[in-house]
Amino acid sequence: EIPEEWEVKKLQNVTDKIGDGIHSTPNYVNNSEYYFVNGNNLINGKIIFSENTKNVSQEEFLKYELKLNKNTVLLSINGTIGNVAFYNNEKIVLGKSASYIICNDNLDVIFFFYLLQSNIIKKYLSTQLTGTTIFNLSLGSIRNMKLYKPPLPEQQKIATILSNIDSKITSQEQYKEKLEKLKKSLMQKLLTGEVRV
């Protein structure tokens, strides 16, 4: 049961476009400002470039460039399933294991980001997987995904609450790291007699 004001909508009806990356291997270069991104680059809401991330030339970037915007969420759909990240104007070429979902004006992108990480959506995605050794999620399954959609102002309030909690978690994790470093330093000094109590 959901509140009366909420709607049940297929994802394709509240988005401008849903697609995936290229199904071929681009020409790589050693160093450039353009990156080839797959599902394993989508970590904790961000596109992460590691030392294993390949670079492509400007020509390859322009050849495969997608018209993504600030209302875009990326979702891993091949191999690793369900990793989610916001698109933040990175210069990327998407591979086939990453899909893009561009929200329309009736779907708040931050609300949708959190919705994709909810148990109900994860459960749906798990029922749609194909493959035996490498799992795959089809674009058709993504387009037909049913969402519980509150009115836009309520979506924005939910998104704000969850974003604030995430900010607090990040702050506490940073504080924990500082305490752990302090503890290590004190252990070294106390257990070697460098500092006496």
Side-chain angles (χ1 to χ4, degrees):
E1 293 183 9
I2 59 172
E4 285 184 11
E5 302 83 12
W6 290 31
E7 300 176 298
V8 178
K9 293 277 191 180
K10 284 188 177 181
L11 184 59
Q12 65 186 353
N13 295 327
V14 289
T15 52
D16 287 335
K17 193 169 184 183
I18 298 172
D20 62 0
I22 63 173
H23 289 239
S24 59
T25 303
N27 294 320
Y28 301 129
V29 296
N30 285 333
N31 288 302
S32 77
E33 59 182 326
Y34 306 97
Y35 295 89
F36 182 60
V37 167
N38 272 303
N40 55 9
N41 293 101
L42 313 180
I43 302 172
N44 295 328
K46 296 179 181 177
I47 301 172
I48 302 297
F49 305 126
S50 70
E51 58 185 26
N52 296 323
T53 306
K54 305 284 189 185
N55 294 97
V56 296
S57 66
Q58 184 180 26
E59 290 74 23
E60 287 288 276
F61 169 73
L62 294 173
K63 179 179 177 183
Y64 297 113
E65 183 180 12
L66 296 165
K67 301 301 180 188
L68 307 179
N69 59 37
K70 62 184 175 69
N71 292 321
T72 302
V73 173
L74 303 176
L75 174 70
S76 61
I77 58 171
N78 180 270
T80 302
I81 305 294
N83 287 357
V84 188
F86 293 107
Y87 174 72
N88 195 27
N89 294 318
E90 294 90 349
K91 296 177 180 178
I92 56 172
V93 171
L94 279 186
K96 68 177 181 179
S97 69
S99 67
Y100 61 91
I101 303 163
I102 304 175
C103 301
N104 70 19
D105 292 338
N106 295 310
L107 182 62
D108 181 83
V109 67
I110 300 174
F111 169 81
F112 179 58
F113 168 80
Y114 285 112
L115 189 61
L116 283 175
Q117 298 172 75
S118 67
N119 287 337
I120 193 165
I121 296 299
K122 286 182 177 181
K123 187 175 180 181
Y124 167 78
L125 295 180
S126 69
T127 66
Q128 300 300 306
L129 297 177
T130 58
T132 52
T133 53
I134 298 177
F135 292 115
N136 185 63
L137 187 64
S138 73
L139 293 178
S141 295
I142 296 170
R143 291 186 179 105
N144 288 319
M145 182 192 307
K146 288 183 179 177
L147 309 180
Y148 296 138
K149 192 179 83 60
L152 188 59
E154 191 169 353
Q155 291 178 44
Q156 292 165 339
K157 287 178 184 176
I158 292 169
T160 298
I161 290 168
L162 295 176
S163 295
N164 287 341
I165 292 171
D166 266 350
S167 295
K168 287 181 181 177
I169 290 170
T170 300
S171 174
Q172 291 299 316
E173 285 173 344
Q174 290 170 348
Y175 181 61
K176 180 186 172 190
E177 283 179 21
K178 287 180 182 177
L179 288 177
E180 286 174 343
K181 287 178 183 176
L182 177 61
K183 178 187 171 186
K184 285 180 183 177
S185 174
L186 283 172
M187 283 178 65
Q188 175 67 22
K189 291 176 180 176
L190 291 169
L191 297 175
T192 59
E194 183 180 340
V195 170
R196 303 290 298 277
V197 294

